[in-house]
Amino acid sequence: MPENLSTPRPALTGQELHLRYGRTPVVHGVSIDLIPGTVTTLLGPNGSGKSTVLRSLARLHPLGSGEIRLGGPEGERDAALLSAKELARALTLFSQSRTSPQGLSVRDVVAFGRHPHRRRFAGLTDADRAAISHAMELTGIADFAPRGIGELSGGEMQRVWLASCLAQDTGIVLLDEPTNHLDLRYQIETLDLVRDLAEIHGVAVGIVLHDLDHAARIADQVVLLSAGRIHAAGAVADVLTSEHLSDVYDIPIDVAHDPGTGRLRIDALGRHGARVAAPV
Ligand code: ADP
């Protein structure tokens, strides 16, 4: 059969991943594809296994069983067989649990992202400097490049780490709740940036979000997890349904299509309802 040329090959495939902490299994046979030029969002309640799956894709959590393969011009490669530097040229992970080294400037931290591209003992090349500046522009931190990171707020530091990941300039970008701790403007700018990475730069994005509206805003595909298993996976409109979401989150959730924005509107119905009286 002729190959379907309209569907790009996955940049990363996680197959039948079984993951545990010590002897406790927490993820049971999850499979996920990250496609170049698209955003795949992992959703699910707290503890459903989203972060553990994402970390395993970055080889930061050992596989109990299953396989992670990277696609590319040289064909498919088993991620387990790559050196740390080869892997870091292929993918980057933005996560919350970073400790900030002391005594460095914003620019120094962003420059860390270039490490996988640099020769030992060599200084920064023009390409490194261009990637660092571009990443700082994209994340809105260019103005405070010389500042010490000790002077930054949590949200500003978050953007510095994001810039460091972008400076790594990889075809696969994994993000674990990148909008946490950001104010509304930077939440929306970060989501726009994630969309740009996929649409303009052809990056394969895998992102953990807890906000369903944010997911509806940027995802092409959704993997909805529940208790370490896939409850539903596929296109946004097929997965973000009232039925799936109410099942997984165990509260009534309405999903409506907003004809004004063309987006899904997701409304979790609590016990208190609207606080504003309806017009008579
Ligand atoms: P999510 O990202 O969906 O909130 P996690 O991947 O963080 O879920 O967690 C999945 C499961 O693994 C949960 O039951 C959680 O309690 C457990 N878990 C997470 N981190 C650890 C850890 N460091 N040690 C033991 N269990 C953990």
Side-chain angles (χ1 to χ4, degrees):
M1 226 165 66
E3 199 177 333
N4 181 357
L5 295 177
S6 64
T7 314
R9 287 168 183 274
L12 181 150
T13 299
Q15 253 168 6
E16 279 291 308
L17 304 178
H18 289 261
L19 310 171
R20 35 177 200 260
Y21 285 96
R23 299 170 71 167
T24 310
V26 296
V27 170
H28 317 274
V30 165
S31 296
I32 182 168
D33 280 344
L34 302 184
I35 313 284
T38 70
V39 176
T40 302
T41 301
L42 285 127
L43 287 177
N46 290 341
S48 57
K50 305 179 295 295
S51 294
T52 309
V53 168
L54 202 75
R55 287 170 54 77
S56 77
L57 299 180
R59 233 174 53 184
L60 292 176
H61 191 97
L63 302 187
S65 64
E67 194 178 32
I68 294 167
R69 303 192 70 78
L70 297 185
E74 316 89 49
E76 280 201 1
R77 295 175 297 169
D78 184 340
L81 303 179
L82 301 180
S83 71
K85 207 160 185 172
E86 284 172 321
L87 190 74
R89 286 196 204 116
L91 69 79
T92 187
L93 169 73
F94 170 87
S95 70
Q96 304 292 321
S97 52
R98 299 203 186 215
T99 44
S100 303
Q102 295 304 304
L104 295 177
S105 72
V106 166
R107 198 183 170 79
D108 293 335
V109 174
V110 179
F112 275 154
R114 296 303 297 167
H115 183 70
H117 299 278
R118 292 172 65 184
R119 289 169 180 273
R120 265 176 112 192
F121 309 123
L124 292 172
T125 63
D126 287 347
D128 291 329
R129 284 194 201 89
I132 292 164
S133 299
H134 187 55
M136 290 199 296
E137 290 292 337
L138 286 176
T139 49
I141 60 168
D143 284 350
F144 47 88
R147 278 169 64 184
I149 56 168
E151 305 166 22
L152 304 183
S153 73
E156 288 168 341
M157 195 59 220
Q158 174 111 333
R159 282 152 53 209
V160 173
W161 283 125
L162 186 57
S164 182
C165 287
L166 297 182
Q168 207 171 317
D169 194 17
T170 56
I172 303 166
V173 172
L174 306 173
L175 302 138
D176 194 352
E177 300 203 358
T179 54
N180 268 9
H181 311 303
L182 296 182
D183 65 29
L184 188 59
R185 172 184 163 191
Y186 284 112
Q187 285 181 29
I188 299 306
E189 289 196 358
T190 300
L191 295 174
D192 283 344
L193 175 58
V194 169
R195 219 31 258 168
D196 289 348
L197 284 179
E199 274 182 30
I200 301 173
H201 304 285
V203 169
V205 179
I207 180 168
V208 169
L209 291 171
H210 66 251
D211 187 307
L212 299 174
D213 281 311
H214 286 178
R217 199 177 178 111
I218 62 161
D220 296 292
Q221 297 84 229
V222 175
V223 176
L224 180 61
L225 294 178
S226 174
R229 292 190 162 79
I230 293 184
H231 182 90
V236 175
D238 296 332
V239 178
L240 298 186
T241 63
S242 173
E243 193 185 354
H244 286 318
L245 295 176
S246 304
D247 272 357
V248 162
Y249 289 92
D250 203 22
I251 50 166
I253 299 179
D254 260 0
V255 179
H257 184 255
D258 184 331
T261 62
R263 284 206 296 267
L264 295 179
R265 279 226 319 255
I266 297 170
D267 194 8
L269 308 173
R271 285 183 294 107
H272 288 282
R275 309 282 301 169
V276 181
V280 268

